[in-house]
Amino acid sequence: MTIGELLKEERLAKSKTQKEWAGNIISTSYYAKVEKNKHRITAEDLLVLLHLNHIDSSNFFQRLENKQDLIHEQEKNWGYLATNAVYHHDIAALKQIIQSIKDSELPQDKKAADVLEVEGMIETLRVNLEKNYQPNIKLQQKLKERIFNIPNFTKLKLQLYCDFMDFYDLEANKQIIKQIIKEKANTADNQIMLAVSAIINNFISSSMSQNHYDGLDYYITLVDQMPQLPELYLIKSSIAVHKYLIDYHFHKDEKYLDYCWKIAAGYRLTGMKDFGEDVATFIEQEKKKVADN
C-alpha cells in the first residue's frame, strides 16, 4: 500500500471529500493525484495534512509499514507458488495467481508488473509444451522492455532475464551473457552466483536443443569454478548432465549416458520426480540425435 492509498482509506473512513481533507495545504486537484499515486506529497505537507485531519502520524506510518510488510509477504508467497506451478507445468495455478494479484491491495503499477511476470511464465510453458502454439510476440516484447529498463544487472534483472531468456534468440543470449559474465564474474554474492549459473545452465540447454555444441565447455567451466555451495547444487548437477551429454555427442561413449542416468535417478530418489523426468526426456533427445547421425 502507498501513502496515497492509505490517505484515501483514512479520508473515506472519516467520510470527507477530497476538498475537505486537503484544506488549504495543497490544491484539491493535486491531492487527488496523490491518492492515485500520480503525484508525491512532501513530508512536511503530509504531516500537516495528518494533523489537520486528526490522524496520529506515528500510527499512520506504523499502519503503512505493516501493510507494506503484508504485501511483501504476499509477493513472496506468490513467487513461491509461481515457481512451484512452473515446476509442475501447472498453467491453471499460474492463472489463479494472476487473479490473486489483481484482487490484492498492491499499487496499480506493481500489480501490472507482477501480472506481466506471471503471464510471461505461462507464455514460456506454452511455447515449450504446446506444439502448435503461436507465440504472443507483444507479451514477449513487453517483458523484454521490462528487463531492458532495469539499469545494470541487479538481482531482479538477472532473475527476470533467467526466467524469460527463451524469448531471445541464441545470438542475442550469447551477447547478453557475455555482458553478465563481464560484470558479475568475480561476485561473492551467493544469490548473484545462483542467478548467473542458472542463466548459463539455461543457455547451454537451449544451445544443445538447437544443435550448437562448440564452445559450451567455456560456460561449463565458469560454473564448475564457482564454490561448492548447497544453493548451487541443483544447478551444478544440471550442468554436469549437460557436460556428460556433450561428451557423449562428441565421443559416443556410453559411459557418459550412464553418468546422466544416475543423476536423473538421483533427482527422482530425492523427491524431484518432475525435474528427473524432464532430465530423462532431455537425455533421450540427445541420445536420439547421436543415433540418427
Side-chain angles (χ1 to χ4, degrees):
M1 175 172 280
T2 64
I3 287 174
E5 289 168 335
L6 186 53
L7 281 172
K8 181 179 180 180
E9 186 177 296
E10 293 280 9
R11 178 178 65 79
L12 293 177
K14 290 181 178 290
S15 301
K16 286 190 175 185
T17 65
Q18 290 180 336
K19 184 176 181 179
E20 292 170 333
W21 189 259
N24 295 321
I25 300 166
I26 54 178
S27 71
T28 304
S29 61
Y30 188 95
Y31 175 75
K33 291 182 178 180
V34 170
E35 285 194 357
K36 293 179 179 179
N37 301 311
K38 292 182 178 180
H39 280 336
R40 294 177 181 272
I41 185 170
T42 66
E44 183 180 351
D45 285 345
L46 174 60
L47 290 172
V48 175
L49 188 68
L50 294 175
H51 179 73
L52 172 69
N53 291 288
H54 309 292
I55 303 294
D56 181 81
S57 59
S58 61
N59 179 263
F60 179 88
F61 288 115
Q62 185 61 56
R63 287 188 62 202
L64 181 65
E65 184 177 351
N66 290 342
K67 293 207 173 194
Q68 287 175 335
D69 287 345
L70 179 61
I71 288 171
H72 180 64
E73 286 302 313
Q74 280 184 317
E75 288 192 292
K76 283 176 62 177
N77 186 52
W78 289 328
Y80 169 77
L81 293 174
T83 299
N84 190 58
V86 170
Y87 174 72
H88 292 292
H89 305 162
D90 192 343
I91 290 176
L94 289 170
K95 289 181 178 179
Q96 289 177 352
I97 294 169
I98 288 175
Q99 190 58 52
S100 295
I101 295 170
K102 289 180 177 179
D103 293 339
S104 74
E105 295 184 356
L106 280 175
Q108 288 301 320
D109 58 342
K110 194 70 174 73
K111 278 186 186 182
D114 287 356
V115 166
L116 178 63
E117 289 175 28
V118 182
E119 287 177 340
M121 294 176 188
I122 293 174
E123 175 75 1
T124 299
L125 287 178
R126 297 192 70 181
V127 167
N128 291 328
L129 298 176
E130 299 179 18
K131 291 183 179 179
N132 298 318
Y133 178 68
Q134 294 298 314
N136 186 335
I137 303 302
K138 185 176 180 180
L139 173 63
Q140 292 186 20
Q141 187 58 39
K142 281 185 178 180
L143 284 159
K144 288 180 181 180
E145 290 171 1
R146 165 112 166 88
I147 295 167
F148 178 79
N149 288 334
I150 300 173
N152 304 317
F153 286 106
T154 61
K155 291 179 185 179
L156 174 59
K157 185 167 184 172
L158 289 171
Q159 185 58 60
L160 288 173
Y161 172 63
C162 183
D163 288 342
F164 305 122
M165 57 191 299
D166 282 351
F167 301 154
Y168 297 82
D169 62 40
L170 206 59
E171 189 56 36
N173 278 325
K174 188 180 294 185
Q175 294 305 314
I176 293 170
I177 292 171
K178 183 178 180 180
Q179 290 301 313
I180 292 172
I181 292 170
K182 182 179 179 180
E183 185 175 321
K184 300 297 183 182
N186 298 316
T187 182
D189 187 315
N190 291 356
Q191 293 303 309
I192 293 290
M193 277 192 284
L194 178 60
V196 172
S197 61
I199 287 168
I200 290 173
N201 183 65
N202 289 351
F203 174 71
I204 293 171
S205 180
S206 179
S207 296
M208 293 172 66
S209 295
Q210 297 178 56
N211 298 317
H212 293 278
Y213 296 86
D214 292 328
L216 294 181
D217 54 333
Y218 164 73
Y219 301 98
I220 291 171
T221 300
L222 285 174
V223 178
D224 282 344
Q225 290 174 345
M226 291 181 181
Q228 298 294 332
L229 301 171
E231 51 265 54
L232 293 180
Y233 168 74
L234 183 61
I235 296 297
K236 280 180 170 281
S237 63
S238 182
I239 288 285
V241 171
H242 291 123
K243 177 181 182 299
Y244 293 134
L245 286 174
I246 292 169
D247 287 338
Y248 179 69
H249 172 82
F250 285 116
H251 305 295
K252 315 297 187 292
D253 190 329
E254 292 286 332
K255 72 179 181 183
Y256 297 119
L257 282 183
D258 291 339
Y259 297 154
C260 293
W261 286 121
K262 287 176 181 177
I263 295 172
Y267 291 141
R268 296 191 188 99
L269 288 172
T270 53
M272 301 179 65
K273 182 179 178 181
D274 289 348
F275 191 74
E277 292 298 332
D278 287 343
V279 171
T281 299
F282 191 69
I283 294 170
E284 288 291 354
Q285 289 172 349
E286 293 300 309
K287 181 180 176 181
K288 186 175 186 302
K289 287 182 190 178
V290 172
D292 290 345
N293 290 329

